[in-house]
Amino acid sequence: MSGESVAAGQRLAYAAPAFALAFVGIPIYVYLPNFYTDVVGVDVVVLGAVILAARLFDAFTDPLTGYLSDRTRTRFGRRRPYIAIGAVPLAASVLFLLSPPDVDPLTATIWFSSWLFLTFLFWTVIVVPYESLGPEITLDYDERTAVLGLRDGLLILGTLAAASSPALVSALIDLPEGAAGERQRFFWIGAFYAPILVVLCWWCVAAIRERPLTSRRDHGGALADLSPLFENRPFLILLASYMVSAFGSNLPATMLLYYVEYVLESGSAELFLVEYLVTGVVFLPLWIALSARVGKRRAWIASMLVNTGAFIGVFFLGPGDVAAFGVLVFLSGIGMGATLAIPSSMQADVIDYDALISGRRREGRYVG
């Protein structure tokens, strides 16, 4: 450990953009498909294919952005220029994506496809350098967990805000009935999100100073330069473990809305989602403290057992078992925050191992 602490204001300035960046998740994956198929008129099969293609596009842009970020040299640093410059086009892309014109289905499909790809492109331009900046803020083993834990805590809060945004807009603004009301609802979500994203990203850029770069510069190509990452055994172990953990935690989260509607036959899916996210935020500081006492690996394993193990009980529920499901959601939510924050901190540690054996700082490539 280096004993290097980070002031509370610095922690908050770094973590703040995560709150706004979380809006790219819930609206696009949960609310937007229904809006574009039922209101705008895009065919559901085409919409699904476009979303899949956009995520496959990320498989190329994420590593490429990490590679470029690592090799960037400016007086403002390697990461901050991407965050500052990418904020405006990302905000604009999301605003246009949430504000489609009233046109024929073909034009609406082109509109959706174009702005969705641009949204994910500029999201990558920001997020990969932004997450790469985190491990560089402090080299202290436990301080990293606190810094990245606050970031992931605000990510969860941002997800909660995104999940609540349609209901919030309806409560604050008198919307007309039908398709016109739905169009206005999504416009106001975008109008609220866009300036917050820009302000929080620019606050981070203004408040955080990057660590002076002392490692030698890479000269290999993008593909050749990725090969040393797969010689880093701790990274491979973490990557495989995180993939298994992601399946265990994301599948129940993705199926939550369907399970509540079709198995429990309840209309309270959004309430369970809010319960899950709030519980994760509340218990996250306890997991951070536990990881400092027993170690990150043990704390992470314990959080996964709690997060995924609680859902074993859903196999025994049926129509009307809403109260029992609420208990299981609460128990699972206890471990949810740690399954995000602790692996992020461990990722920073395996990047340090790479720097030790290679003499290079390649946070961007590891994050990408």
Side-chain angles (χ1 to χ4, degrees), residues 9-22:
Q10 293 288 100
R11 290 185 188 181
L12 186 59
Y14 169 69
F19 178 86
L21 292 168

Side-chain angles (χ1 to χ4, degrees), residues 69 72-85 133 136 204-213:
S69 174
T72 298
R73 299 292 186 274
T74 74
R75 65 189 184 96
F76 301 104
R78 297 189 292 172
R79 319 295 183 192
R80 293 187 299 154
Y82 290 92
I83 301 171
I85 295 173
L133 179 61
E136 301 172 346
C204 173
V205 169
I208 300 298
R209 292 293 177 267
E210 295 188 35
R211 185 177 300 275
L213 190 62

Side-chain angles (χ1 to χ4, degrees), residues 307-331:
N307 180 232
T308 59
F311 272 110
I312 293 175
V314 303
F315 290 105
F316 307 101
L317 302 182
D321 293 329
V322 175
F325 185 69
V327 173
L328 295 178
V329 169
F330 171 77
L331 293 176

Side-chain angles (χ1 to χ4, degrees), residues 314-362:
V314 303
F315 290 105
F316 307 101
L317 302 182
D321 293 329
V322 175
F325 185 69
V327 173
L328 295 178
V329 169
F330 171 77
L331 293 176
S332 179
I334 290 174
M336 187 268 290
T339 63
L340 295 175
I342 295 178
S344 296
S345 181
M346 296 174 72
Q347 181 189 45
D349 299 330
V350 302
I351 292 172
D352 281 350
Y353 176 75
D354 174 73
L356 178 66
I357 62 177
S358 70
R360 297 181 175 93
R361 300 298 309 189
R362 298 187 282 207

Side-chain angles (χ1 to χ4, degrees), residues 181-200:
E182 285 298 301
R183 287 180 176 275
Q184 288 188 30
R185 187 199 316 273
F186 279 90
F187 166 78
W188 284 111
I189 292 173
F192 172 78
Y193 161 82
I196 289 180
L197 171 69
V198 174
V199 168
L200 294 183

Side-chain angles (χ1 to χ4, degrees), residues 162-179:
S164 306
S165 57
L168 183 62
V169 169
S170 297
L172 295 177
I173 301 174
D174 186 18
L175 300 174
E177 296 292 332

Side-chain angles (χ1 to χ4, degrees), residues 228-316:
L229 276 63
F230 296 97
E231 298 171 3
N232 183 338
R233 187 168 179 269
F235 169 68
L236 294 180
I237 294 172
L238 179 64
L239 183 64
S241 302
Y242 186 77
M243 182 178 68
V244 173
S245 170
F247 272 108
S249 59
N250 290 336
L251 281 175
T254 303
M255 299 303 296
L256 176 66
L257 300 179
Y258 299 98
Y259 180 84
V260 172
E261 181 176 356
Y262 296 111
V263 178
L264 301 183
E265 297 180 359
S266 168
S268 304
E270 289 79 7
L271 293 178
F272 287 124
L273 180 60
V274 170
E275 177 194 3
Y276 183 68
L277 296 171
V278 170
T279 305
V281 172
V282 170
F283 281 90
L284 180 56
L286 299 180
W287 286 107
I288 293 174
L290 180 65
S291 71
R293 291 182 61 86
V294 304
K296 299 177 187 179
R297 179 174 61 89
R298 291 180 178 177
W300 185 30
I301 292 173
S303 70
M304 286 190 287
L305 290 173
V306 172
N307 180 232
T308 59
F311 272 110
I312 293 175
V314 303
F315 290 105
F316 307 101

